[in-house]
Amino acid sequence: MPTKYTDDMLQQIPDATGHFGEFGGRFVSETLMPSLLQLEEQYNTLKHDPEFQEEFYRDLADYVGRPSPLYFAERLTDKVGGAKIYLKREDLNHTGAHKVNNTIGQALLAKHLGKPRIIAETGAGQHGVATATVAARLGLECTVFMGAEDVQRQAQNVYRMKLLGATVVPVESGTRTLKDAMNEAMRDWVTNVDNTFYIIGTVAGPHPYPMLVRDFQTVIGKEAKQQCLDKEGRLPDALVACVGGGSNAIGLFYPFIGDDSVKMYGVEAAGHGLESGEHAAPLCAGEPGVLHGNRTYLMSDNNGQISATHSVSAGLDYPGVGPEHSWLKDEGRAEYVAITDDEALDAFRTLTRVEGIIPALESSHAIAYGMKLAKQMDKDQIIIVNLSGRGDKDMHTIAEIDGITV
Amino acid sequence: MSRIKAVMSQLKSDGKSALIPYITGGDPVPGLTVELMHELVNAGADIIELGIPFSDPMADGPVIQLACERALEHNVSLDDILSMVSGFRETNTSTPVVLMGYLNPIVKMGYGLFASKAAGAGVDGVLVVDLPPEEGHQLLVEMRNNNLDSVYLIAPTTTDDRIKAICDASSGYVYYVSVKGVTGSASLDVASVAAKLAVIRNKSDIPVGVGFGIKDAESAAAVAKVADGVIVGSVLVNTIASNIDNHAAIKAKMYNIVSSMRQAMDA
Ligand SMILES: Cc1ncc(COP(=O)(O)O)c(C=O)c1O
């Protein structure tokens, strides 16, 4: 049976008003609407501009170091004793995570729109660092909003951003994590909309952000597909990626949506366990609602107040998720699962010891589920796990858990 | 005719501008809100904007963020806000009440249920900050079915072609956000407000309320000269923040601010 997800169909996702089925859209205060419409128009032009695309791919090659390898994790595969596990090595990118693919793209947009000032929100600090990096490279002024709790647990990234010349603003309101950083970035943007470009770090926010961040991140999946064909002569059986807002996951999944044989698993943070209520798993345990400019699965209480979330990894500690994932979930095209803090920490240690690769705590969630999944599959089957970032930034957190002061 | 429309046309024929104070429902405690609403009317308010507290008030500055936090400490829900309006209606059936808030609590209740409960409670209009008309159709239908007015925002950045669409979706009044920024931030510039109002009036007859950046009697009077309504929020909410436990002082200070604005506007 031919796939339902033809290129023609996927062209309509999102539709002209930014909707992925019943999700997505543009739920913002009026002040931002004209800027979003302008950004959409500009992006739709540049998307088809060969020069823009060439510049983007040149930067990805020469500055980021792409393509990132697709690495066969042989010892991990042997240890698990199931499907072959490949790792897509986004941890080897300049600045240490997939985030930079997107900031390169959006900084080019900012340049084309002539905006001299850039703002961003960040959780783990990876997106903040990736934004500060491209801002330094283009000589743009840069302010990064970061929840005060995250400023503490990701102190090293805060320092990196400052070295790169960015101003880091700790956000004390609300739960003092990623969602509050995003609120504050929106507040800044509303105030300085004339001269400021907001580089959103994931496939969330109002249209056109979920679409354009996805487009920039699909380089991950395009490469992985070709690399898998080159190495194995066929497509993988399953893809696994962690989901905070969902940008590394959609980047890997997107080029495979029309390949019905390829299963897709998005891994959310189960924190202390889904039943504890202390987690960050809106797709597994939330309901549709509206936050930060789009309609999507959310964690909120009976009164519609956004819930506090918990995850050991700051980058997954977010109560919403990109609207395209909500669509993929309801379509049944992707499956969403959750991994607890403890399981992620175990996977972190396993990968470090077995493969000599120290993964980010976010990515460790994907590793943990990838190992579970591989065990249930045959030895001749293939899984690609997106290793979205490296764990250098998490040394402090891990050491603290181990009771060590570094 | 809706209560808002009636008030607006009466004021127009009197040559006056509407005074529209905002407070967040449940701030500082749920029990005080109805009393404060009556006090605002006594001081000269024509319409009351009652804020629905939200955990993530993205378009608000620190003053209203803290008001939301204070209300949410008491778990004030959308149902509680509607009860406050019912309580207000026990003795006041003439002053329009417009709810102002963010979409998610309304999504959670369900558009249809919200609109019918709001109408039942005596609400007159609703302004949802993060709901531009492009996304507002479903709620708008429910609002109209329940004879409720929908107030949409126009901003300094709003392009001319959008102004007409926003005015057409709105009823009662449109809310012109006078500054680029969050609530309670900069001071407004009356000349640029007047220029934008001229553009709006060129496209629609709907009354225009102006909010953001009105801080005292002087700015209220200046805006009243050019606008159909003067919306005041953060300066009132601030009186709560600085007198949390002294309810008598909150009432007295709010009364003084609003009545001095009223006098200056009518002078
Ligand atoms: C290494 C890494 N992976 C994943 C994420 C989560 O973001 P997303 O779900 O958008 O990929 C982050 C966010 O900070 C990150 O730093």
Side-chain angles (χ1 to χ4, degrees):
Chain A
M1 203 173 74
T3 181
K4 155 182 180 198
Y5 304 102
T6 58
D7 287 351
D8 280 353
M9 188 249 191
L10 291 174
Q11 286 297 319
Q12 310 297 317
I13 304 292
D15 66 15
T17 51
H19 294 88
F20 302 82
E22 61 168 296
F23 300 104
R26 198 152 21 201
F27 295 85
V28 293
S29 71
E30 175 59 24
T31 312
L32 295 177
M33 281 299 288
S35 272
L36 290 168
L37 292 165
Q38 188 201 13
L39 175 61
E40 181 193 353
E41 194 184 312
Q42 282 268 344
Y43 177 66
N44 282 335
T45 309
L46 291 171
K47 193 175 174 168
H48 304 292
D49 175 355
E51 246 172 75
F52 180 83
Q53 292 299 330
E54 201 183 307
E55 197 176 358
F56 175 57
Y57 280 97
R58 192 172 54 236
D59 281 353
L60 289 184
D62 297 344
Y63 189 69
V64 175
R66 304 203 69 94
S68 70
L70 184 70
Y71 166 71
F72 175 41
E74 197 167 356
R75 288 240 298 151
L76 186 68
T77 299
D78 286 347
K79 184 177 160 65
V80 172
K84 288 173 105 169
I85 302 173
Y86 278 89
L87 302 177
K88 180 63 175 160
R89 297 292 306 275
E90 293 299 301
D91 60 315
L92 294 177
N93 293 341
H94 179 45
T95 70
H98 69 291
K99 296 285 180 189
V100 72
N101 303 327
N102 168 46
T103 60
I104 292 272
Q106 288 199 52
L108 284 179
L109 285 177
K111 204 171 83 176
H112 277 268
L113 285 164
K115 306 268 180 172
R117 179 172 178 266
I118 277 176
I119 57 169
E121 84 296 337
T122 196
Q126 286 305 111
H127 174 60
V129 167
T131 303
T133 299
V134 295
R137 177 166 175 252
L138 296 178
L140 303 170
E141 188 191 331
C142 179
T143 299
V144 179
F145 296 92
M146 189 169 186
E149 184 179 326
D150 295 335
V151 166
Q152 257 169 7
R153 56 180 167 172
Q154 304 286 344
Q156 208 185 343
N157 270 343
V158 174
Y159 188 56
R160 284 169 85 192
M161 288 183 261
K162 288 182 180 165
L163 284 176
L164 289 159
T167 305
V168 180
V169 180
V171 177
E172 298 284 353
S173 58
T175 59
R176 306 162 85 236
T177 58
L178 182 52
K179 82 170 170 73
D180 310 287
M182 195 144 180
N183 290 336
E184 210 55 37
M186 295 264 206
R187 289 179 188 123
D188 181 294
W189 197 29
V190 140
T191 310
N192 301 299
V193 62
D194 291 335
N195 75 343
T196 297
F197 189 98
Y198 180 14
I199 299 191
I200 296 185
T202 189
V203 283
H207 182 62
Y209 281 100
M211 173 179 76
L212 66 87
V213 176
R214 173 196 73 195
D215 291 350
F216 294 137
Q217 291 291 3
T218 50
V219 65
I220 301 173
K222 283 185 201 159
E223 285 176 10
K225 195 170 188 174
Q226 191 56 51
Q227 289 165 322
C228 189
L229 289 171
D230 291 346
K231 284 176 198 287
E232 293 280 352
R234 68 180 187 86
L235 293 176
D237 298 286
L239 307 173
V240 179
C242 67
V243 177
S247 66
N248 86 88
I250 207 75
L252 177 64
F253 294 175
Y254 190 73
F256 292 93
I257 293 177
D259 299 309
D260 294 342
S261 67
V262 182
K263 294 207 162 79
M264 309 195 286
Y265 298 91
V267 186
E268 296 192 304
H272 294 140
L274 292 184
E275 64 296 337
S276 73
E278 295 173 5
H279 57 78
L283 289 165
C284 293
E287 276 179 36
V290 173
L291 179 69
H292 292 151
N294 67 94
R295 183 180 153 84
T296 192
Y297 277 86
L298 275 188
M299 290 173 54
S300 68
D301 69 14
N302 291 335
N303 299 323
Q305 306 299 341
I306 307 305
S307 310
T309 51
H310 166 79
S311 169
V312 68
S313 74
L316 303 184
D317 210 350
Y318 181 65
V321 63
E324 192 157 13
H325 287 290
S326 295
W327 178 73
L328 287 169
K329 174 191 158 80
D330 280 12
E331 281 282 302
R333 179 62 189 94
E335 197 176 315
Y336 294 89
V337 297
I339 283 290
T340 64
D341 287 355
D342 287 346
E343 290 173 311
L345 288 164
D346 280 349
F348 172 91
R349 291 178 207 280
T350 302
L351 192 72
T352 300
R353 289 297 178 88
V354 175
E355 292 287 353
I357 297 173
I358 302 181
L361 282 174
E362 292 77 15
S363 323
S364 301
H365 288 71
I367 304 289
Y369 189 75
M371 287 163 62
K372 273 193 189 177
L373 185 67
K375 201 174 276 179
Q376 302 156 13
M377 291 168 62
D378 293 337
K379 286 200 159 128
D380 60 354
Q381 290 188 294
I382 301 165
I383 297 181
I384 297 178
V385 178
N386 202 8
L387 189 57
S388 56
R390 59 176 177 246
D392 307 33
K393 69 181 175 60
D394 297 311
M395 289 303 100
H396 181 76
T397 306
I398 302 290
E400 201 173 88
I401 289 168
D402 287 344
I404 296 166
T405 323
V406 191
Chain B
M1 198 196 299
S2 85
R3 209 158 10 205
I4 298 176
K5 215 168 186 177
V7 165
M8 282 297 191
S9 56
Q10 182 62 48
L11 285 165
K12 192 177 177 129
S13 59
D14 295 349
K16 285 184 180 177
S17 187
L19 179 51
I20 311 176
Y22 164 98
I23 55 173
T24 304
D27 173 34
V29 290
L32 192 65
T33 300
V34 173
E35 273 180 65
L36 289 179
M37 291 168 78
H38 288 306
E39 198 70 14
L40 294 171
V41 174
N42 292 339
D46 299 299
I47 297 174
I48 290 177
E49 279 190 4
L50 187 63
I52 306 164
F54 184 52
S55 53
D56 294 79
M58 274 159 295
D60 286 297
V63 171
I64 292 175
Q65 286 173 45
L66 290 172
C68 286
E69 285 183 19
R70 287 191 294 268
L72 291 176
E73 269 170 39
H74 300 281
N75 292 314
V76 172
S77 67
L78 182 48
D79 270 315
D80 294 334
I81 297 293
L82 296 173
S83 305
M84 289 171 197
V85 178
S86 308
F88 176 71
R89 285 279 171 252
E90 283 172 16
T91 52
N92 183 321
T93 53
S94 58
T95 308
V97 175
V98 174
L99 299 185
M100 182 167 183
Y102 294 81
L103 189 57
N104 200 51
I106 298 173
V107 170
K108 199 75 178 184
M109 183 177 279
Y111 290 169
L113 188 60
F114 166 69
S116 66
K117 278 186 175 182
V123 169
D124 299 283
V126 178
L127 193 179
V128 185
V129 178
D130 54 349
L131 188 69
E134 284 90 337
E135 297 287 353
H137 186 70
Q138 282 172 303
L139 180 59
L140 192 61
V141 168
E142 300 292 349
M143 297 287 289
R144 285 181 178 159
N145 285 343
N146 287 278
N147 299 315
L148 291 169
D149 285 318
S150 292
V151 177
Y152 285 95
L153 300 171
I154 293 177
T157 51
T158 304
T159 48
D160 289 4
D161 54 328
R162 289 180 58 76
I163 289 177
K164 174 114 181 55
I166 293 170
C167 290
D168 287 349
S170 301
S171 56
Y173 59 99
V174 289
Y175 186 135
Y176 179 59
V177 174
S178 66
V179 291
K180 286 172 214 152
V182 292
T183 51
S185 52
S187 295
L188 59 78
D189 168 32
V190 179
S192 64
V193 169
K196 193 77 174 188
L197 292 194
V199 178
I200 299 171
R201 292 209 165 104
N202 201 7
K203 311 228 176 252
S204 171
D205 295 332
I206 192 164
V208 187
V210 173
F212 283 43
I214 295 161
K215 296 187 154 66
D216 49 25
E218 198 187 338
S219 47
V223 171
K225 287 210 169 66
V226 295
D228 305 296
V230 176
I231 303 160
V232 202
S234 294
V235 65
L236 298 177
V237 175
N238 244 337
T239 66
I240 298 181
S242 44
N243 299 280
I244 295 281
D245 297 317
N246 189 344
H247 296 175
I250 293 170
K251 284 207 288 198
K253 290 196 171 148
M254 272 197 195
Y255 183 92
N256 286 340
I257 293 170
V258 173
S259 60
S260 72
M261 288 180 168
R262 175 87 269 167
Q263 278 165 23
M265 285 165 61
D266 294 351

